[in-house]
Each structure stands twice: as C-alpha cells, then as structure tokens.
Coordinates of all heavy atoms in Angstrom, one line a residue:
M1 N 0.9 -1.2 0.0 CA 0.0 0.0 0.0 C 0.9 1.3 -0.1 O 1.8 1.4 0.8 CB -0.9 0.0 1.3 CG -1.7 1.3 1.4 SD -2.8 1.0 2.8 CE -2.7 2.6 3.6
A2 N 0.6 2.2 -0.8 CA 1.3 3.4 -0.9 C 1.0 4.3 0.2 O -0.2 4.3 0.7 CB 1.1 4.1 -2.3
V3 N 2.0 5.0 0.6 CA 1.7 6.0 1.7 C 1.0 7.2 1.2 O 1.4 7.8 0.2 CB 3.0 6.5 2.4 CG1 2.7 7.6 3.4 CG2 3.8 5.4 2.9
T4 N -0.1 7.6 1.8 CA -0.8 8.7 1.4 C -0.3 9.9 2.1 O 0.2 9.8 3.1 CB -2.3 8.6 1.6 OG1 -2.6 8.5 2.9 CG2 -3.0 7.4 0.8
N5 N -0.5 11.1 1.5 CA 0.0 12.3 2.1 C -0.5 12.4 3.5 O 0.3 12.8 4.4 CB -0.3 13.5 1.2 CG 0.5 14.8 1.5 OD1 1.6 14.6 2.0 ND2 0.0 15.9 1.3
P6 N -1.8 12.3 3.8 CA -2.3 12.5 5.2 C -1.7 11.6 6.2 O -1.3 11.9 7.3 CB -3.8 12.3 5.1 CG -4.1 12.6 3.7 CD -2.9 12.2 2.8
E7 N -1.4 10.3 5.8 CA -0.7 9.4 6.6 C 0.6 9.9 7.0 O 1.1 9.7 8.2 CB -0.7 8.0 6.0 CG -2.1 7.3 6.0 CD -2.2 6.1 5.1 OE1 -1.3 5.9 4.2 OE2 -3.1 5.3 5.4
L8 N 1.4 10.2 6.0 CA 2.8 10.8 6.2 C 2.8 11.9 7.2 O 3.6 12.0 8.1 CB 3.4 11.1 4.9 CG 4.8 11.6 4.9 CD1 5.8 10.6 5.5 CD2 5.3 12.0 3.5
L9 N 1.9 12.8 6.9 CA 1.8 14.1 7.7 C 1.5 13.7 9.2 O 1.9 14.3 10.1 CB 0.9 15.1 7.1 CG 1.3 15.7 5.8 CD1 0.3 16.7 5.2 CD2 2.7 16.4 5.9
H10 N 0.5 12.8 9.2 CA 0.1 12.3 10.7 C 1.3 11.7 11.4 O 1.6 12.1 12.6 CB -1.0 11.4 10.6 CG -1.4 10.8 11.9 ND1 -2.1 11.6 12.7 CD2 -1.2 9.6 12.4 CE1 -2.4 10.9 13.9 NE2 -1.9 9.6 13.6
S11 N 2.1 10.9 10.7 CA 3.2 10.2 11.3 C 4.4 11.2 11.7 O 4.9 11.1 12.7 CB 3.8 9.2 10.4 OG 2.9 8.2 10.2
L12 N 4.6 12.2 10.9 CA 5.5 13.3 11.1 C 5.0 14.0 12.3 O 5.9 14.4 13.1 CB 5.7 14.2 9.9 CG 6.5 15.4 10.1 CD1 8.0 15.0 10.5 CD2 6.5 16.3 8.8
G13 N 3.8 14.4 12.4 CA 3.3 15.2 13.6 C 3.3 14.5 14.8 O 3.8 15.0 15.8
M14 N 3.1 13.2 14.8 CA 3.3 12.3 16.0 C 4.7 12.3 16.4 O 5.1 12.3 17.6 CB 2.7 10.9 15.7 CG 1.1 11.0 15.6 SD 0.5 9.3 15.4 CE 0.9 8.5 17.0
R15 N 5.6 12.2 15.5 CA 6.9 12.2 15.8 C 7.5 13.4 16.4 O 8.2 13.4 17.5 CB 7.8 11.8 14.5 CG 9.3 11.8 14.7 CD 9.8 10.7 15.4 NE 11.3 10.7 15.4 CZ 12.1 10.1 16.3 NH1 11.6 9.4 17.2 NH2 13.4 10.2 16.2
I16 N 7.1 14.5 15.8 CA 7.5 15.8 16.4 C 6.9 16.0 17.9 O 7.7 16.4 18.8 CB 7.1 17.0 15.5 CG1 7.9 16.9 14.3 CG2 7.2 18.3 16.2 CD1 7.5 17.8 13.2
R17 N 5.7 15.6 18.0 CA 5.0 15.7 19.4 C 5.7 14.8 20.4 O 6.0 15.3 21.5 CB 3.5 15.4 19.3 CG 2.9 15.3 20.7 CD 1.4 15.0 20.6 NE 0.7 16.1 19.8 CZ -0.4 15.8 19.1 NH1 -0.8 14.6 18.9 NH2 -0.9 16.8 18.6
Y18 N 6.1 13.6 20.0 CA 6.8 12.7 20.8 C 8.1 13.3 21.4 O 8.4 13.2 22.5 CB 7.0 11.3 20.2 CG 7.9 10.4 20.9 CD1 7.5 9.6 22.0 CD2 9.3 10.2 20.6 CE1 8.4 8.9 22.7 CE2 10.2 9.5 21.3 CZ 9.6 8.7 22.3 OH 10.5 8.0 23.0
L19 N 8.9 13.7 20.3 CA 10.2 14.3 20.7 C 10.1 15.6 21.6 O 10.9 15.7 22.5 CB 11.0 14.6 19.4 CG 11.3 13.4 18.6 CD1 11.8 13.8 17.2 CD2 12.4 12.6 19.3
R20 N 9.1 16.3 21.2 CA 8.9 17.5 22.1 C 8.5 17.3 23.5 O 9.1 17.8 24.4 CB 7.8 18.5 21.4 CG 7.4 19.7 22.3 CD 6.3 20.5 21.6 NE 5.1 19.8 21.5 CZ 4.2 19.5 22.3 NH1 4.4 19.9 23.6 NH2 3.0 18.9 22.2
R21 N 7.6 16.3 23.7 CA 7.2 15.9 25.0 C 8.4 15.1 25.7 O 8.4 15.3 27.0 CB 6.0 15.0 25.0 CG 4.7 15.8 24.6 CD 3.5 14.9 24.5 NE 2.3 15.7 24.3 CZ 1.2 15.1 24.0 NH1 1.0 13.7 24.0 NH2 0.1 15.9 23.9
E22 N 9.2 14.4 25.0 CA 10.2 13.8 25.7 C 11.3 14.7 26.3 O 11.9 14.4 27.3 CB 11.1 12.9 24.6 CG 12.0 12.0 25.1 CD 12.7 11.2 23.9 OE1 13.2 11.8 23.0 OE2 12.5 9.9 24.1
R23 N 11.3 15.9 25.7 CA 12.1 16.9 26.2 C 11.5 18.0 27.2 O 12.0 18.9 27.5 CB 12.8 17.7 25.0 CG 13.9 16.9 24.3 CD 14.1 17.3 22.9 NE 15.1 16.5 22.2 CZ 14.9 15.2 21.8 NH1 13.7 14.6 22.1 NH2 15.8 14.5 21.2
N24 N 10.3 17.6 27.5 CA 9.4 18.4 28.5 C 9.2 19.8 27.9 O 9.3 20.7 28.7 CB 10.1 18.4 29.8 CG 10.0 17.1 30.5 OD1 9.0 16.4 30.4 ND2 11.1 16.7 31.1
M25 N 9.0 19.9 26.6 CA 8.8 21.2 26.0 C 7.5 21.4 25.7 O 6.7 20.5 25.2 CB 9.6 21.3 24.8 CG 11.1 21.3 24.8 SD 12.1 21.4 23.2 CE 11.9 23.1 22.9
S26 N 7.0 22.7 25.9 CA 5.6 22.9 25.4 C 5.6 23.3 23.9 O 6.7 23.5 23.4 CB 5.0 24.0 26.2 OG 5.7 25.3 26.0
I27 N 4.4 23.4 23.4 CA 4.3 23.9 22.0 C 5.0 25.3 21.9 O 5.8 25.6 21.0 CB 3.0 23.9 21.4 CG1 2.5 22.4 21.2 CG2 2.9 24.6 20.2 CD1 1.1 22.3 20.7
L28 N 4.7 26.1 22.8 CA 5.3 27.5 22.9 C 6.8 27.4 23.0 O 7.4 28.2 22.4 CB 4.7 28.3 24.1 CG 5.2 29.8 24.1 CD1 4.9 30.5 23.0 CD2 4.6 30.4 25.4
D29 N 7.3 26.5 23.9 CA 8.7 26.5 24.0 C 9.4 26.1 22.7 O 10.4 26.7 22.2 CB 9.1 25.3 25.0 CG 8.8 25.6 26.4 OD1 8.7 26.9 26.8 OD2 8.6 24.6 27.2
L30 N 8.8 25.1 22.0 CA 9.3 24.7 20.7 C 9.2 25.8 19.6 O 10.2 26.0 18.9 CB 8.7 23.4 20.3 CG 9.2 22.8 18.9 CD1 10.6 22.6 18.8 CD2 8.3 21.6 18.5
S31 N 8.1 26.4 19.6 CA 7.9 27.4 18.6 C 8.9 28.7 18.8 O 9.4 29.1 17.9 CB 6.5 28.0 18.7 OG 6.2 28.8 19.8
L32 N 9.2 29.0 20.1 CA 10.1 30.0 20.4 C 11.6 29.6 20.0 O 12.3 30.4 19.4 CB 10.1 30.5 21.7 CG 8.7 31.2 22.2 CD1 8.7 31.4 23.8 CD2 8.6 32.6 21.5
E33 N 11.9 28.4 20.4 CA 13.2 28.0 20.1 C 13.5 27.7 18.6 O 14.6 27.9 18.1 CB 13.4 26.6 20.9 CG 14.8 26.0 21.0 CD 15.6 27.0 22.0 OE1 15.1 27.5 22.9 OE2 16.9 27.1 21.6
A34 N 12.5 27.3 17.9 CA 12.6 27.1 16.4 C 12.2 28.3 15.6 O 12.4 28.3 14.4 CB 11.7 25.8 16.0
D35 N 11.7 29.4 16.2 CA 11.3 30.6 15.5 C 10.2 30.2 14.4 O 10.3 30.6 13.3 CB 12.5 31.2 14.9 CG 12.1 32.7 14.4 OD1 11.2 33.2 15.0 OD2 12.7 33.1 13.4
V36 N 9.3 29.3 14.8 CA 8.1 29.0 14.0 C 6.8 29.2 14.9 O 6.7 29.0 16.0 CB 8.2 27.4 13.6 CG1 7.0 27.0 13.0 CG2 9.5 27.1 13.0
N37 N 5.9 29.8 14.2 CA 4.6 30.2 14.9 C 4.0 28.9 15.7 O 3.9 27.9 15.1 CB 3.7 30.5 13.8 CG 2.3 31.2 14.4 OD1 1.4 30.3 14.8 ND2 2.2 32.4 14.5
R38 N 3.6 29.2 16.8 CA 3.0 28.1 17.7 C 1.8 27.4 17.0 O 1.6 26.2 17.3 CB 2.8 28.5 19.1 CG 1.6 29.5 19.3 CD 1.5 29.9 20.7 NE 0.4 31.0 20.8 CZ -0.1 31.3 21.8 NH1 0.3 30.9 23.0 NH2 -1.0 32.3 21.8
N39 N 0.9 28.2 16.4 CA -0.2 27.6 15.7 C 0.2 26.7 14.7 O -0.4 25.6 14.4 CB -1.1 28.7 15.2 CG -1.8 29.5 16.3 OD1 -2.0 29.0 17.4 ND2 -2.0 30.7 16.1
Y40 N 1.2 27.0 14.0 CA 1.9 26.2 12.9 C 2.4 24.9 13.5 O 2.1 23.8 12.9 CB 3.0 27.0 12.3 CG 3.5 26.2 11.0 CD1 3.0 26.5 9.7 CD2 4.5 25.2 11.0 CE1 3.4 25.9 8.6 CE2 4.9 24.6 9.9 CZ 4.4 24.9 8.7 OH 4.8 24.2 7.6
I41 N 3.1 24.9 14.7 CA 3.6 23.7 15.4 C 2.4 22.8 15.7 O 2.4 21.6 15.5 CB 4.3 24.1 16.6 CG1 5.7 24.9 16.2 CG2 4.7 22.8 17.4 CD1 6.8 24.2 15.6
S42 N 1.4 23.4 16.2 CA 0.2 22.7 16.7 C -0.4 22.1 15.5 O -0.8 20.8 15.5 CB -0.8 23.7 17.4 OG -2.0 23.0 17.7
D43 N -0.6 22.7 14.3 CA -1.2 22.2 13.2 C -0.3 21.1 12.7 O -0.8 20.0 12.2 CB -1.3 23.2 12.1 CG -2.5 24.2 12.3 OD1 -3.4 24.0 13.2 OD2 -2.5 25.3 11.6
L44 N 1.0 21.3 12.7 CA 1.9 20.2 12.2 C 1.8 19.0 13.1 O 1.8 17.8 12.5 CB 3.4 20.8 12.4 CG 4.5 20.1 11.8 CD1 4.3 19.8 10.3 CD2 5.8 20.8 12.0
E45 N 1.8 19.1 14.3 CA 1.5 17.9 15.2 C 0.3 17.2 15.0 O 0.3 16.0 15.3 CB 1.7 18.4 16.7 CG 3.1 18.7 17.1 CD 3.3 18.9 18.6 OE1 2.3 18.9 19.3 OE2 4.4 19.2 19.1
R46 N -0.7 17.8 14.5 CA -2.0 17.2 14.2 C -2.0 16.8 12.8 O -3.2 16.3 12.3 CB -3.2 18.2 14.5 CG -3.4 18.5 16.1 CD -4.5 19.4 16.4 NE -4.1 20.7 16.0 CZ -4.9 21.5 15.1 NH1 -5.9 21.0 14.6 NH2 -4.6 22.7 14.8
G47 N -1.0 16.9 12.0 CA -1.0 16.4 10.7 C -1.7 17.4 9.7 O -2.0 16.9 8.6
K48 N -1.9 18.6 10.0 CA -2.6 19.5 9.1 C -1.7 20.4 8.3 O -2.2 21.2 7.6 CB -3.4 20.4 10.1 CG -4.4 19.7 11.0 CD -5.5 18.9 10.2 CE -6.5 18.2 11.1 NZ -7.3 17.4 10.4
R49 N -0.4 20.3 8.5 CA 0.5 21.1 7.7 C 1.5 20.3 7.0 O 1.8 19.2 7.4 CB 1.3 22.1 8.6 CG 0.5 23.2 9.3 CD 0.1 24.2 8.3 NE -0.5 25.3 9.1 CZ -0.4 26.5 8.7 NH1 0.3 26.9 7.7 NH2 -1.1 27.4 9.4
N50 N 2.0 20.7 5.9 CA 3.1 20.0 5.0 C 4.3 21.0 5.1 O 4.4 21.9 4.3 CB 2.5 19.8 3.6 CG 3.5 19.0 2.9 OD1 4.5 18.5 3.4 ND2 3.1 18.7 1.6
P51 N 5.2 20.6 6.1 CA 6.3 21.6 6.3 C 7.3 21.7 5.3 O 7.5 20.6 4.5 CB 6.9 21.2 7.6 CG 6.6 19.8 7.7 CD 5.3 19.6 7.0
T52 N 8.1 22.7 5.0 CA 9.2 22.8 4.2 C 10.4 22.1 4.9 O 10.4 21.9 6.1 CB 9.5 24.2 3.8 OG1 9.9 24.9 5.0 CG2 8.4 24.9 3.2
I53 N 11.4 21.8 4.2 CA 12.5 21.2 4.7 C 13.2 22.3 5.6 O 13.8 21.9 6.6 CB 13.6 20.9 3.6 CG1 14.7 20.0 4.2 CG2 14.2 22.1 2.9 CD1 14.2 18.5 4.5
E54 N 13.1 23.6 5.4 CA 13.6 24.6 6.3 C 12.9 24.6 7.6 O 13.7 24.8 8.7 CB 13.4 26.0 5.7 CG 14.0 27.1 6.4 CD 13.7 28.5 5.9 OE1 13.2 28.6 4.7 OE2 14.1 29.5 6.5
V55 N 11.6 24.4 7.7 CA 10.9 24.4 8.9 C 11.4 23.1 9.7 O 11.6 23.1 10.9 CB 9.4 24.4 8.7 CG1 8.6 24.0 10.1 CG2 8.9 25.8 8.3
L56 N 11.4 22.0 9.0 CA 11.9 20.8 9.7 C 13.3 20.9 10.2 O 13.6 20.4 11.4 CB 11.8 19.5 8.8 CG 10.4 19.2 8.3 CD1 10.5 18.0 7.2 CD2 9.6 18.8 9.5
F57 N 14.1 21.6 9.6 CA 15.5 21.8 10.0 C 15.4 22.6 11.2 O 16.2 22.4 12.2 CB 16.3 22.5 8.9 CG 17.8 22.7 9.2 CD1 18.7 21.6 9.3 CD2 18.2 23.9 9.6 CE1 20.0 21.8 9.6 CE2 19.6 24.2 9.9 CZ 20.4 23.1 10.0
K58 N 14.6 23.6 11.3 CA 14.5 24.6 12.4 C 14.0 23.8 13.7 O 14.5 24.0 14.7 CB 13.6 25.8 12.2 CG 14.1 26.9 11.3 CD 13.0 27.8 11.1 CE 13.5 29.1 10.5 NZ 12.4 30.1 10.5
I59 N 13.0 22.9 13.4 CA 12.4 22.2 14.5 C 13.4 21.2 15.0 O 13.6 20.9 16.3 CB 11.1 21.4 14.0 CG1 10.1 22.5 13.8 CG2 10.7 20.4 15.1 CD1 8.8 22.0 13.2
S60 N 14.2 20.5 14.2 CA 15.2 19.5 14.5 C 16.3 20.2 15.4 O 16.8 19.7 16.4 CB 15.9 18.7 13.4 OG 16.6 19.6 12.5
N61 N 16.8 21.4 15.0 CA 17.8 22.2 15.7 C 17.1 22.6 17.1 O 17.9 22.5 18.1 CB 18.2 23.4 14.9 CG 19.1 23.3 13.9 OD1 19.9 22.2 13.9 ND2 19.2 24.0 12.9
A62 N 15.9 23.1 17.1 CA 15.4 23.4 18.4 C 15.2 22.1 19.4 O 15.3 22.2 20.6 CB 13.9 23.9 18.2
L63 N 15.1 20.9 18.8 CA 15.0 19.7 19.6 C 16.4 19.2 19.9 O 16.5 18.1 20.5 CB 14.1 18.7 18.9 CG 12.6 19.0 18.8 CD1 12.1 18.0 17.8 CD2 12.1 19.0 20.1
N64 N 17.5 19.8 19.3 CA 18.8 19.3 19.5 C 19.1 17.9 18.9 O 19.8 17.1 19.6 CB 19.3 19.4 20.9 CG 19.3 20.7 21.5 OD1 19.9 21.8 20.8 ND2 18.8 21.0 22.6
I65 N 18.5 17.7 17.7 CA 18.7 16.5 17.0 C 19.1 16.9 15.5 O 18.7 18.0 15.1 CB 17.6 15.5 17.1 CG1 16.3 16.2 16.6 CG2 17.3 15.0 18.5 CD1 15.1 15.1 16.5
T66 N 19.5 15.9 14.8 CA 19.8 16.1 13.4 C 18.4 16.0 12.7 O 17.5 15.3 13.2 CB 20.7 15.1 12.7 OG1 20.2 13.7 12.9 CG2 22.1 15.1 13.5
L67 N 18.3 16.5 11.5 CA 17.2 16.4 10.7 C 16.9 14.9 10.3 O 15.8 14.4 10.4 CB 17.3 17.2 9.4 CG 16.2 17.2 8.4 CD1 14.9 17.7 9.1 CD2 16.5 18.1 7.2
S68 N 17.9 14.1 10.0 CA 17.7 12.7 9.7 C 17.3 12.0 11.0 O 16.4 11.1 10.8 CB 19.0 12.0 9.3 OG 20.0 12.1 10.2
N69 N 17.6 12.4 12.2 CA 17.1 11.8 13.4 C 15.6 12.1 13.6 O 14.8 11.3 14.0 CB 17.9 12.1 14.6 CG 17.7 11.3 15.8 OD1 16.8 10.4 15.8 ND2 18.3 11.6 16.8
L70 N 15.3 13.3 13.3 CA 13.8 13.7 13.3 C 13.0 12.8 12.5 O 11.9 12.4 12.8 CB 13.7 15.2 12.9 CG 12.3 15.7 12.8 CD1 11.6 15.8 14.2 CD2 12.2 17.1 12.2
L71 N 13.5 12.6 11.2 CA 12.7 11.7 10.3 C 12.8 10.3 10.4 O 12.0 9.5 9.9 CB 13.1 12.2 8.9 CG 12.9 13.7 8.4 CD1 13.5 13.9 7.1 CD2 11.4 13.9 8.6
S72 N 13.8 9.8 11.2 CA 14.0 8.4 11.3 C 12.9 7.6 12.0 O 12.9 6.5 11.7 CB 15.4 8.2 12.1 OG 15.3 8.4 13.4
G73 N 12.2 8.1 12.8 CA 11.1 7.4 13.5 C 9.8 7.3 12.7 O 8.9 6.8 13.2
I74 N 9.8 7.9 11.4 CA 8.5 7.8 10.8 C 8.5 6.6 9.9 O 9.4 6.4 9.0 CB 8.5 9.2 9.9 CG1 8.5 10.4 10.7 CG2 7.2 9.1 8.9 CD1 8.6 11.6 10.0
D75 N 7.4 5.9 10.1 CA 7.2 4.6 9.3 C 6.4 5.0 7.9 O 5.3 5.3 8.0 CB 6.4 3.7 10.2 CG 6.1 2.4 9.4 OD1 6.8 2.2 8.4 OD2 5.4 1.6 9.9
I76 N 7.1 4.9 6.9 CA 6.5 5.3 5.7 C 5.9 4.1 4.9 O 5.6 4.1 3.8 CB 7.4 6.1 4.8 CG1 8.7 5.4 4.5 CG2 7.7 7.5 5.3 CD1 9.6 6.0 3.4
S77 N 6.1 2.9 5.5 CA 5.5 1.7 4.9 C 4.2 1.3 5.5 O 3.8 0.2 5.5 CB 6.5 0.6 5.3 OG 6.6 0.2 6.6
L78 N 3.5 2.4 5.7 CA 2.1 2.2 6.3 C 1.3 1.3 5.3 O 0.5 1.3 4.6 CB 1.3 3.5 6.5 CG 2.1 4.3 7.6 CD1 1.5 5.7 7.6 CD2 2.0 3.7 8.9

C-alpha cells in the first residue's frame, strides 16, 4: 500500500510531538526555540501542515537532534 500524504503528515506530526514531550517542551517552548509560529507547530503535530525542509530543519535544531534523526522514526511503509 502506498503512503498517502495525510498518513505521512500524521506520522511526522506524531514524531514531532513525541520528541517535544520527551524533552518536556511545550508547543510554545518549541515554537520560540525554532522561530516557528506556535499555531503552525500545533497544526503540524495534528498532521494539518506540510512543512518545508527549512521548517523541519529549524524544529530539529530546536530539539537538539539532526534532521535525519527527526525523520528516522517515521514509518513510511504504512
């Protein structure tokens, strides 16, 4: 089965939420650290946004991980 865009975005959002919570960060903390609007972060975590590579890079830096580590937990073989 091919991965549909909504499934991929949902998986990405869940991964970001997991990593953020693991670091005891609020959405506001992450948004300030990444310089990304908090509503955008919230939408992203709910799978409602399709982020650019630049936004993902900012988020990974704010979480103190590499971009590849941010994406490594996403199962695209749904």
Side-chain angles (χ1 to χ4, degrees):
M1 175 176 141
V3 176
T4 62
N5 198 30
E7 290 169 336
L8 179 61
L9 294 179
H10 177 75
S11 294
L12 175 61
M14 288 182 64
R15 174 74 173 156
I16 292 169
R17 179 179 289 146
Y18 170 80
L19 293 167
R20 175 180 61 76
R21 287 180 174 172
E22 185 178 62
R23 286 156 180 75
N24 295 315
M25 295 176 82
S26 68
I27 289 177
L28 181 59
D29 294 334
L30 180 57
S31 71
L32 292 172
E33 196 67 33
D35 193 29
V36 175
N37 184 283
R38 71 180 171 170
N39 293 328
Y40 189 93
I41 299 283
S42 177
D43 287 348
L44 184 58
E45 287 187 358
R46 291 182 289 120
K48 303 295 182 191
R49 295 285 186 145
N50 189 359
T52 64
I53 193 75
E54 180 181 358
V55 168
L56 292 176
F57 184 73
K58 287 178 166 185
I59 290 171
S60 67
N61 281 338
L63 294 169
N64 294 314
I65 59 174
T66 63
L67 181 55
S68 61
N69 194 359
L70 174 67
L71 300 175
S72 71
I74 298 171
D75 182 9
I76 58 169
S77 61
L78 300 172

